[in-house]
Amino acid sequence: LRRQEQELTLRAPIAGEVLTRRPDQLLAGRPVERGQLLLRVADVAGPWIVEARVPQDYAGDLQAARVASAGELPVTFALLTDPTQNFRGRLVDLANVVELDAEDEPAVELTVAIDEPPPAPRAGAGVLARVDCGRRSWGYVLFHDAARAAASWWY
């Protein structure tokens, strides 16, 4: 019985702070299954990162710019909790898989390392981010969305 009881003990894969609000109320008397996400835990003392999703239409441009620069692309972002202040980071990872986001739109996940964390960061806060993919002609910048839309209608 002690062995079975020990198997019921849940341990986080990292040491950190529980970010889930009211975990005692959330889990009280609730049956759980193996592999089910129960709590969000983060190492708030460690380096902060931004995880964002970009529509799949832009994933090719991001990948091409990443290959062309042979390094990490600069990123400027603002937290939605304080959109008046901009922060800098660099694109360190771009997923190779397209997944559906919260709105069931195909998107690619990217990870941004933050150069200097915001003064009062909040885990889970939304961001507005801009990845610097290099220079393009003004015609490309102005009309690439319209060209993609026309191509998708055509095919």
Side-chain angles (χ1 to χ4, degrees), residues 20 49 77 103:
T20 304
I49 61 169
F77 67 94
E103 291 84 30

Side-chain angles (χ1 to χ4, degrees), residues 76-138:
T76 305
F77 67 94
L79 298 173
L80 292 181
T81 56
D82 182 15
T84 61
Q85 193 172 9
N86 288 337
F87 301 97
R88 297 196 179 282
R90 60 200 181 287
L91 180 67
V92 293
D93 189 32
L94 180 64
N96 293 325
V97 178
V98 176
E99 297 175 338
L100 296 179
D101 62 9
E103 291 84 30
D104 289 332
E105 296 292 326
V108 176
E109 189 169 303
L110 54 93
T111 304
V112 176
I114 300 173
D115 293 340
E116 185 177 321
R122 297 190 58 90
V127 297
L128 293 172
R130 191 186 87 203
V131 180
D132 184 358
C133 293
R135 298 179 62 87
R136 295 284 187 160
S137 69
W138 65 271

